[in-house]
Structure formats: structure tokens, C-alpha cells
């Protein structure tokens, strides 16, 4: 005979068994296939303590920020008993860091977590013993006290200074061999993100662990017909070689 406590435990294990399940049943905003692909690789690195670095590049408005927010919410749930910290850096505090915080807040206001998470000091989100800390990576930002043990994120990495990242953020994950994710849009080969991608491509050749995930408008359009139609209209209006189309 199954006891009520056993049934609850089994249900919790199932809901947290895969981010796809969590996304669909708890957040009720299912991630698409091109979002789940990098999510599973990132989570494998975290769970097995591999400390890999990843780059995720998507066409504009394809759901990159949705992916990272769901990853954050999922990790807070999985590690709420054991504990751990996520650190996320964005090029500016306003609006980018604020937008990231609001997006996570929106996802934590689900029917499962709504009354159990809290916000501290204005930039820390906590669920049980797990926390997510949000920082600005502006050159003049004073960044102190952050330690990343679960995940270290660099949002819109093409706009972040390599010097700022290396000095203030990269050391935050050193003691835990933390998994690191760089997201953004590639503008030129000189940006921090582009240089990071080039480095990760070399790493992929050495050990065959996939680290770079890129999804252009054609790939996105295969899953979202409205997106495909919009891109087609913009291409017709601006031309294939327009900078906004290329990104």
C-alpha cells in the first residue's frame, strides 16, 4: 500500500526528473526542442560536476532569455534542500539585470513555488537553501560577495568586457568548478562572445563534448510558424544583408 507521503515524494521526483517535465507541468510554458537541447547539456555538466563552459546563441526574440530563466527556476527547485548558488551577470543593471530578475520572479510565481521563495537585498532570489544572485557587468559596477556553485551566467556576452568578466566574475566559480554559460548574439568576431565561441570550438575538437549551440532564424522558424513569417516579411523589406536580419 502506498502511503500519502510516498506518493508526494514520487510526484516531486517525477516533476524534477527532467527540465522538460518541469517546464511543461510546473511552469506551464513548455520549452521548445532547440531550447531543450542546450538545457540538457548544461544540466548534465552541473549534475556531474564537469565544470564545462557553453555558448548559446539564438536569433532575436527566439527565447534565449526564457531558456535561462527556466534553467534558473529549475535549479533552485532541484537544489533547494542541498543548497547552492547561481550567479548571473548582464551588461547593464537597468534594464538588463532588472529584466532577468523579473523574468525569474515571474517563473517562481508558479503554483508550486509561489509562497516559498523570497527576495533579499534587492538582487538575491532564494528558494529553500538555493539562491540566484544577479549582478551588473558594467565596467564601473562594484561586484563583491558572489560565489557560484551551481551555474555562472554571462548574459548578452557580446556586450560584456572580457577584462571585467575575467577580473570580477570568473573567479566566482573557481572553488566549485562551476558550469558556465555565455549567451547572446554574435555581431563581430572581436566581441567577447565571439572569441569565447572560437575557444569553445577548439575544446569541442579535443574532447567531442558539445559546447556551442547556435540557432538561426531558419531553425527557429521550423518550430514557430509565426516567427518564420515575420522574418520573411522583414527580409523582403530590409534585404538579406541588413544587420538586423543577419542577427
Amino acid at each position: 500500500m502506498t502511503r500519502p507521503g510516498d506518493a508526494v515524494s514520487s510526484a516531486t521526483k517525477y516533476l524534477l526528473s527532467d527540465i522538460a517535465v518541469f517546464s511543461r507541468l510546473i511552469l506551464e510554458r513548455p520549452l521548445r526542442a532547440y531550447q531543450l537541447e542546450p538545457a540538457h547539456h548544461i544540466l548534465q555538466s552541473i549534475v556531474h560536476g564537469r565544470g564545462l563552459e557553453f555558448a548559446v546563441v539564438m536569433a532575436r526574440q527566439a527565447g534565449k532569455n526564457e531558456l535561462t530563466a527556466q534553467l534558473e527556476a529549475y535549479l533552485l527547485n532541484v537544489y533547494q534542500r542541498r543548497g547552492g548558488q547561481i550567479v548571473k551577470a548582464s551588461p547593464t543593471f537597468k534594464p538588463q539585470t532588472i529584466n532577468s530578475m523579473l523574468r525569474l520572479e515571474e517563473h517562481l510565481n508558479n503554483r508550486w513555488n509561489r509562497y516559498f521563495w523570497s527576495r533579499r537585498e534587492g538582487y538575491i532570489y532564494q528558494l529553500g537553501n538555493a539562491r540566484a544572485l544577479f549582478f551588473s557587468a558594467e565596467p564601473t559596477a562594484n561586484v563583491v560577495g558572489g560565489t557560484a556553485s551551481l551555474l555562472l551566467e554571462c548574459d548578452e556576452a557580446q556586450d560584456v568586457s572580457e577584462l571585467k568578466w575575467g577580473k570580477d566574475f570568473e573567479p566566482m566559480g573557481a572553488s566549485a568548478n562551476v558550469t558556465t554559460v555565455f549567451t547572446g548574439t554574435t555581431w563581430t568576431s572581436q566581441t567577447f562572445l565571439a572569441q569565447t565561441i572560437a575557444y569553445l570550438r577548439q575544446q569541442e575538437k579535443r574532447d567531442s563534448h558539445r559546447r556551442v549551440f547556435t540557432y538561426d532564424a531558419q531553425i527557429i522558424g521550423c518550430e514557430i510558424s509565426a516567427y518564420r513569417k515575420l522574418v520573411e516579411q522583414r527580409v523582403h523589406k530590409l534585404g538579406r544583408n541588413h544587420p538586423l536580419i543577419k542577427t
Side-chain angles (χ1 to χ4, degrees), residues 195-241:
Q195 292 172 0
T196 298
I197 289 174
Y199 167 73
L200 295 180
R201 293 286 193 196
Q202 294 176 351
Q203 296 297 104
E204 287 179 331
K205 292 178 180 179
R206 291 176 183 173
D207 60 18
S208 298
H209 280 296
R210 188 176 177 188
R211 292 171 169 85
V212 180
F213 298 84
T214 59
Y215 304 95
D216 62 19
Q218 185 174 358
I219 294 174
I220 308 304
C222 289
E223 288 201 55
I224 311 174
S225 59
Y227 190 94
R228 184 185 69 252
K229 292 176 182 177
L230 177 62
V231 171
E232 289 173 349
Q233 292 171 1
R234 298 293 285 174
V235 169
H236 180 73
K237 180 178 180 179
L238 300 174
R240 175 63 65 181
N241 293 321

Side-chain angles (χ1 to χ4, degrees), residues 30-97:
L31 290 172
R32 298 183 172 89
Y34 65 83
Q35 294 168 310
L36 287 171
E37 185 176 42
H40 284 138
H41 281 78
I42 292 165
L43 289 168
Q44 284 295 307
S45 176
I46 295 170
V47 170
H48 296 290
R50 293 172 182 157
L52 297 178
E53 293 182 327
F54 298 92
V56 180
V57 178
M58 292 183 183
R60 288 168 173 265
Q61 301 299 314
K64 168 181 60 65
N65 294 327
E66 178 70 16
L67 165 61
T68 56
Q70 291 208 24
L71 269 172
E72 293 152 11
Y74 179 70
L75 287 170
L76 290 177
N77 275 274
V78 171
Y79 287 91
Q80 62 179 305
R81 290 188 178 181
R82 190 185 313 176
Q85 287 196 161
I86 301 165
V87 171
K88 185 171 189 176
S90 303
T92 62
F93 182 76
K94 187 177 182 179
Q96 289 161 312
T97 300

Side-chain angles (χ1 to χ4, degrees), residues 10-31 36 40 43 70 74 111-112:
S10 297
T12 300
K13 288 180 179 178
Y14 172 68
L15 291 170
L16 296 179
S17 64
D18 191 295
I19 191 171
V21 176
F22 179 80
S23 172
R24 186 176 72 255
L25 298 182
I26 297 300
L27 301 183
E28 299 180 334
R29 298 173 69 162
L31 290 172
L36 287 171
H40 284 138
L43 289 168
Q70 291 208 24
Y74 179 70
R111 57 184 177 179
W112 210 24

Side-chain angles (χ1 to χ4, degrees), residues 15 21 101 127 131 133 180 198 231 244 246:
L15 291 170
V21 176
M101 291 191 294
L127 181 65
R131 293 178 290 271
L133 288 69
T180 304
V231 171
L244 291 178
K246 288 184 175 182

